[in-house]
């Protein structure tokens, strides 16, 4: 599928007002709509105002949708089932996982510990009824002669904001119909057809339910494994709501430490809480070292992993999402190891940018020199999810000259993707903010398999996160971005 020419796309984008006084009239309408539809965060708690633990604040959003090339959107949506299959096959290729992750050495203690748990699980022969993959492939639209969607990363653990993303799309449709964006839309056109439907509100719950059915115990429960003091509660509660209202599956919320304290594994490898069997443990935590401050959290995770309960993601899926795997996939012939059809493999590769090791190989040493010489062309990434960990621009030489050769193995180098900026209007903390922004598009993927048969393999909706153009990171929960929806052009 051909992309749209950059000049043509830029000419077709709408023009939004940047007059905050003119736009102030929309704030009360927007904030009240958010409150009525659960588009909310918990307020940050403070030691001196404990009542804030139950206070709610509106989620940060855009007032109107942001332009994305329709051709790019359609391409990455159609590609998602292929990526689901690719990463499932990676997770099942033990030799590939071992050889790739061992190349990290001891540079990354967190990834090493997850890897060692994976090896222990294999050695002990823990059997699971199925795998459930809840993924998200993230893209930026790279501005060349033609606009092309280029993959930022593939998330296999705790891919968040699926629920709130769909709600933001509903908000933008409401605002279009209620106000016609009068005073905001200064030039161009917005139609309802340009805001695509989004099934991300339902797809994750339905995917978990499909795996739950394969577990084979209708009276069991799902445990959503969460972070202590989680603020993004309602994005999670809407998954819980879908599980209960559509599938009549009960969900409990526990931290890893609470799993250690309250759960046991019986002689039949069942994970139990107060005698209640747990079929699925859906991780909305566990993707960063900060989620494991003590041995209690690691012990809680191991209880899940050694039991019959289906972990979402599995240890193999978690490891398949490491940045090192992403980098090695870009090497010649590696995608083709998992995808036989040459045309399909080529479609996957078209979404890649340059990815390089930062180890002591000749390729790694060359990449290090490239990064030191022209740091503004690249981003350095550790084996992390969640936002706030990547290194950009002038900070790259500072990092690379301060770490040891062994520590440098834990990072990869990636070409910087340059998306075209757009003048948008954000609503954050009840205030209108005008800004030049860029948007990152995520496509959710749902994959369920019993090891022999693929039960579900589909795209599961989308997420658009928008951030100020001069901000490098893109995580909403980390405070860098707002939730948006695409306006297809």
């Amino acid at each position: 599928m051909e992309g749209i020419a950059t000049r043509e796309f830029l000419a077709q984008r709408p023009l939004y007002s940047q007059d905050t006084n003119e736009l102030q009239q929309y704030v009360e309408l927007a904030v009240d709509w958010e409150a009525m539809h659960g588009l909310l965060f918990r307020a940050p708690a403070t030691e001196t105002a404990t009542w804030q633990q139950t206070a709610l604040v509106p989620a940060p959003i855009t007032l109107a949708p942001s332009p994305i090339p329709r051709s790019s959107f359609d391409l990455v949506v159609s590609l998602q089932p292929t990526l689901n299959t690719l990463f499932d096959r990676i997770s099942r290729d033990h030799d590939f996982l071992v050889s790739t992750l061992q190349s990290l050495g001891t540079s990354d203690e967190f990834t090493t510990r997850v890897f060692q748990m994976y090896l222990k699980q294999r050695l002990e022969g823990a059997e699971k009824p199925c795998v459930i993959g809840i993924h998200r492939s993230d893209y930026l639209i790279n501005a060349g002669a033609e606009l092309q969607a280029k993959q930022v990363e593939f998330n296999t653990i705790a891919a968040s904001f699926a629920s709130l993303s769909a709600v933001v799309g509903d908000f933008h449709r409401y605002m279009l119909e209620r106000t016609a964006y009068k005073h905001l839309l200064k030039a161009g056109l917005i139609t309802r057809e340009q805001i695509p439907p989004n099934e991300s509100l339902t797809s994750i719950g339905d995917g978990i339910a499909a795996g739950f059915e394969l577990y084979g115990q209708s009276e069991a429960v799902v445990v959503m494994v969460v972070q202590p003091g989680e603020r993004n509660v309602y994005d999670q509660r809407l998954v819980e709501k879908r599980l209960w209202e559509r599938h009549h599956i009960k969900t409990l919320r526990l931290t890893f430490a609470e799993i250690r304290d309250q759960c046991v594994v019986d002689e039949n490898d069942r994970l139990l809480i107060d005698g209640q069997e747990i079929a699925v443990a859906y991780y909305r935590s566990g993707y960063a070292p900060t989620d494991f401050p003590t041995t209690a959290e690691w012990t809680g995770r191991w209880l899940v992993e050694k039991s019959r309960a289906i972990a979402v993601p599995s240890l193999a899926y978690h490891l398949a999402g490491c940045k090192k795997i992403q980098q090695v996939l870009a090497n010649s012939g590696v995608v083709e190891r998992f995808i036989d059809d040459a045309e399909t493999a080529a479609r996957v590769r078209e979404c890649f940018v340059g990815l390089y090791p930062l180890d002591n190989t000749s390729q790694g040493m060359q990449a290090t020199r490239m990064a030191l010489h022209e740091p503004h062309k690249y981003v350095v990434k550790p084996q992390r999810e969640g936002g706030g960990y990547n290194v950009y621009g002038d900070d790259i030489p500072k990092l690379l000259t301060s770490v040891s050769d062994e520590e440098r193995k834990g990072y990869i180098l990636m070409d910087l993707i340059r998306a075209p900026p757009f003048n948008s209007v954000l609503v954050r903390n009840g205030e209108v903010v005008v800004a030049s922004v860029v948007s990152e598009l995520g496509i959710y993927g749902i994959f369920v398999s019993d090891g022999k048969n693929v039960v579900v393999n589909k795209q599961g909706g989308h997420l658009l996160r928008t951030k100020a153009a001069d901000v490098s990171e893109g995580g909403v929960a980390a405070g860098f971005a707002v939730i948006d929806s695409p306006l297809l052009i």
Side-chain angles (χ1 to χ4, degrees), residues 83-129:
L83 294 177
N84 294 342
T85 300
L86 170 62
F87 278 83
D88 180 68
R89 291 174 179 173
I90 290 170
S91 74
R92 296 178 188 279
D93 191 328
H94 175 70
D95 292 342
F96 177 76
L97 283 178
V98 169
S99 62
T100 302
L101 295 173
Q102 280 184 341
S103 69
L104 293 172
T106 58
S107 59
D108 188 297
E109 182 180 353
F110 174 70
T111 303
T112 297
R113 194 153 185 178
V114 176
F115 182 51
Q116 293 300 321
M117 187 176 287
Y118 159 77
L119 294 176
K120 182 179 180 181
Q121 184 192 58
R122 277 182 61 90
L123 184 65
E124 296 192 5
E127 295 185 1
K128 307 284 185 174

Side-chain angles (χ1 to χ4, degrees), residues 400-419:
L400 296 182
T401 56
S402 66
V403 298
S404 66
D405 290 351
E406 183 67 21
E407 290 170 329
R408 200 172 66 244
K409 291 179 183 179
Y411 296 88
I412 68 164
L413 185 71
M414 178 176 169
D415 288 348
L416 190 64
I417 305 169
R418 301 191 182 277

